[in-house]
Amino acid sequence: MKSKYYLYTGIVLLGMGTIVSCKKSFLELDPKGQFLESNYYANPDEALTAVVAAYDPLVTETGGIDNTYSDPLGALNSASDDCYAGGGSSSDVPQWQAINNYTLTPALGPQNQFWAINFQGVNRTDVLLSKLANVPGLSADLLKRYTAEGQFLRAHYYFDLVRLFKNVPLILTTLNITNVYDQPQATPEAVYTQIETDLKAAITGLPTTVPATEGGRVTQGAAKALLGKVYLYEKKWADAAAMLQDVNTNYGYKLLPNFGDVFSPKNKFNSESIFELVHSGSQSYTWSNWNQFKSNIYTQMIGPRSYTGPVYYGGGYGFNPVTTELATALKGDPRYGYTVVNIDSLTKATKTSYSPSYQNTGYFIQKYAPVLANKVTTGTTDLNWPNDYIEIRLADTYLMEAEAELNGGGDQGRAQTLYNAVRARVGLASKPATLQNIYDERRLELATEGHRWFDLVRWGQAPTVLASKGFKAGVNEILPIPLNETLNGTKLKQNPGY
């Protein structure tokens, strides 16, 4: 490892790799080779390229020491009661199988990818924030915006890290080969304090809106939404309610009349989208582009195997079959058909077929499904799905605010109004806005979107709800520190129970 290359990417705390540059639109990325830090940040164009590189780990789908495919939805859905791991067999993507049945060890599980990708993001934002002020010709307005973007992104990466691992190093400056192994774990409280600090600083430097050509870039509303969510996780109920109320009332976001339109690739950056991770279907990827994909490979992963059904639906690899429990909970709910597809019923009705995957239930994820109307015609079909992932959307912030209002003894009437709005959008009648009803609504509204496992953990319900999957209280609320991160003389201590 040569220290002069460490500044941009890493598969552990420190690493080597490529800067990526703009192509086609803001976050459609292609590798453009290696650059030395000493030769970079020479002009505003290079500063923008570095900003794009700081966003890049958000949509990185491979990572860790083995470069394994690692879309976070696959692991998070496998860990929850929404889905099973599935796939071709009990050994297919073993990282997802291990978190599905809670046989995680420091050497086996999705932690390598979560750790590597998020620390890659931390590393890139640390470098970005250390260099921007000295970029020749960079205007004061761009300096302010790029700095705010870097602060938001660093907070985002650390929020994932502290939720997933709890005990992580807090690195706010660039490292070199002599000190990378000397980083101790910070307290979770210190990490959360830094996340708050970064987000508060970011808010004032971000635009309230961005044009479609900059879709995916963070806005002031997104930073406030993330800060409100952070407060919620810290149980700072009044702060969470106030911040989320600001988002929900002052930025022009609106629930879409048709629930299914939220997830359509033809409706990106819609009025409900607060922070959206962009996936391009136009870059003609083939299998030779491994570790470069910015399309949505997860769409292909969750389709039914060897599917020969109606032409509007494509096949896939059979991962994350929906649990019968979730399908049953959704039946009779207007969101059912936009969330779950019953391939067993579909193939029987059309006299077609598919090959059942491991842990098959017959139910598959619809929100990100390989619908052929979304298929692109260039490159390898499996690798070029354009489905975005809306990480924060208005229905989510409505329900988070309602939860905060109730927990903090806040405005009960407002909590009821927000809860009613989410239900009314899909034609459901009002019910009392109790905490349990809000918990239930979050499950049905946000099913398979990657929130469920985090929700169960923070509510303290995971040991009971996930007991049948093997969840162990006091252990599985967080992931193990990756084995390789605790070797070679590092100061990192393994999480309890692993």
Side-chain angles (χ1 to χ4, degrees):
M1 182 179 294
K2 298 180 181 178
S3 61
K4 65 181 179 179
Y5 283 119
Y6 84 91
L7 290 157
Y8 260 88
T9 67
I11 56 172
V12 286
L13 291 182
L14 178 71
M16 303 179 293
T18 61
I19 287 179
V20 290
S21 73
C22 301
K23 182 182 179 183
K24 301 176 185 173
S25 66
F26 180 68
L27 291 178
E28 293 186 24
L29 307 170
D30 279 334
K32 290 295 182 184
Q34 288 184 332
F35 297 89
L36 302 183
E37 177 268 334
S38 60
N39 296 334
Y40 215 70
Y41 291 91
N43 56 60
D45 286 344
E46 292 184 352
L48 178 59
T49 297
V51 171
V52 176
Y55 278 88
D56 181 48
L58 294 175
V59 289
T60 293
E61 293 201 329
T62 56
I65 193 167
D66 55 0
N67 246 7
T68 301
Y69 172 77
S70 57
D71 187 291
L73 280 180
L76 293 173
N77 282 333
S78 297
S80 77
D81 57 339
D82 282 356
C83 300
Y84 297 112
S89 70
S90 61
S91 60
D92 201 355
V93 186
Q95 296 83 2
W96 295 3
Q97 307 295 340
I99 200 169
N100 173 77
N101 55 27
Y102 291 96
T103 55
L104 296 153
T105 70
L108 180 62
Q111 62 271 8
N112 276 335
Q113 288 73 39
F114 280 125
W115 183 279
I117 288 168
N118 282 293
F119 269 115
Q120 182 186 79
V122 169
N123 192 25
R124 292 186 182 188
T125 54
D126 282 346
V127 175
L128 177 73
L129 293 170
S130 73
K131 296 296 181 182
L132 281 174
N134 297 316
V135 175
L138 188 65
S139 71
D141 285 345
L142 287 179
L143 173 60
K144 183 178 180 181
R145 183 180 183 186
Y146 293 175
T147 299
E149 287 179 284
Q151 291 163 330
F152 171 90
L153 290 168
R154 183 166 66 184
H156 184 287
Y157 294 127
Y158 263 119
F159 186 45
D160 274 356
L161 286 164
V162 76
R163 289 189 297 164
L164 288 164
F165 297 101
K166 187 176 181 179
N167 305 298
V168 298
L170 183 58
I171 302 169
L172 305 177
T173 59
T174 57
L175 302 178
N176 59 45
I177 197 66
T178 63
N179 64 12
V180 67
Y181 295 111
D182 295 331
Q183 305 306 308
Q185 285 146 304
T187 65
E189 293 77 15
V191 177
Y192 271 108
T193 296
Q194 182 60 46
I195 292 168
E196 288 186 26
T197 298
D198 273 342
L199 288 173
K200 290 173 185 176
I203 286 167
T204 58
L206 292 168
T208 55
T209 61
V210 296
T213 54
E214 295 184 3
R217 293 186 80 170
V218 66
T219 61
Q220 195 174 102
K224 288 184 176 181
L226 183 57
L227 181 55
K229 186 172 183 175
V230 169
Y231 286 146
L232 193 74
Y233 275 68
E234 295 180 281
K235 295 181 167 52
K236 295 182 178 180
W237 307 119
D239 290 337
M243 190 61 62
L244 291 165
Q245 182 173 358
D246 188 2
V247 173
N248 292 335
T249 59
N250 295 326
Y251 286 87
Y253 302 116
K254 297 184 187 308
L255 295 176
L256 295 184
N258 185 347
F259 181 75
D261 289 345
V262 175
F263 311 99
S264 171
K266 296 175 173 59
N267 200 25
K268 297 188 180 200
F269 316 120
N270 59 66
S271 66
E272 189 165 336
S273 175
I274 297 175
F275 187 55
E276 187 163 338
L277 305 188
V278 183
H279 292 289
S280 170
S282 64
Q283 293 189 284
S284 302
Y285 292 126
T286 67
W287 290 109
S288 64
N289 296 113
W290 184 255
N291 205 28
Q292 298 173 15
F293 305 136
K294 303 305 168 193
S295 53
N296 195 331
I297 310 301
Y298 185 65
T299 291
Q300 182 68 25
M301 295 289 282
I302 62 174
R305 300 173 71 88
S306 305
Y307 180 71
T308 64
V311 294
Y312 66 85
Y313 204 84
Y317 304 153
F319 285 92
N320 282 164
V322 170
T323 63
T324 302
E325 178 194 7
L326 175 59
T328 300
L330 276 164
K331 283 180 179 175
D333 188 297
R335 291 166 289 203
Y336 174 86
Y338 300 114
T339 304
V340 176
V341 55
N342 186 335
I343 296 295
D344 276 354
S345 294
L346 185 61
T347 52
K348 287 175 184 176
T350 57
K351 298 185 176 7
T352 52
S353 66
Y354 76 105
S355 296
S357 58
Y358 176 61
Q359 298 174 311
N360 180 62
T361 63
Y363 299 107
F364 289 76
I365 295 173
Q366 178 64 27
K367 286 179 178 177
Y368 312 108
V371 176
L372 293 186
N374 303 325
K375 178 181 176 181
V376 298
T377 57
T378 60
T380 302
T381 297
D382 297 10
L383 307 178
N384 288 278
W385 293 101
N387 305 59
D388 282 2
Y389 169 51
I390 304 177
E391 185 178 278
I392 306 176
R393 59 185 180 89
L394 190 60
D396 181 13
T397 57
Y398 273 13
L399 293 172
M400 286 195 289
E401 186 195 338
E403 181 183 339
E405 298 282 7
L406 293 179
N407 271 307
D411 189 337
Q412 309 294 296
R414 180 164 174 81
Q416 184 71 60
T417 298
L418 293 165
Y419 173 63
N420 286 348
V422 173
R423 291 178 59 80
R425 186 261 294 275
V426 294
L428 292 173
S430 173
K431 291 169 58 176
T434 64
L435 274 176
Q436 189 57 55
N437 280 345
I438 288 171
Y439 295 163
D440 292 343
E441 199 68 27
R442 281 189 66 80
R443 187 188 191 188
L444 301 179
E445 173 72 22
L446 303 170
T448 73
E449 294 179 44
H451 304 291
R452 177 66 172 171
W453 182 78
F454 286 121
D455 281 347
L456 290 172
V457 169
R458 70 185 179 85
W459 294 332
Q461 296 180 2
T464 300
V465 174
L466 300 176
S468 63
K469 280 193 160 192
F471 188 100
K472 295 176 282 296
V475 176
N476 296 134
E477 288 85 356
I478 53 177
L479 303 183
I481 306 298
L483 178 63
N484 282 11
E485 300 299 331
T486 62
L487 304 177
N488 301 318
T490 73
K491 292 185 176 180
L492 303 185
K493 304 298 183 185
Q494 187 53 260
N495 281 332
Y498 293 107

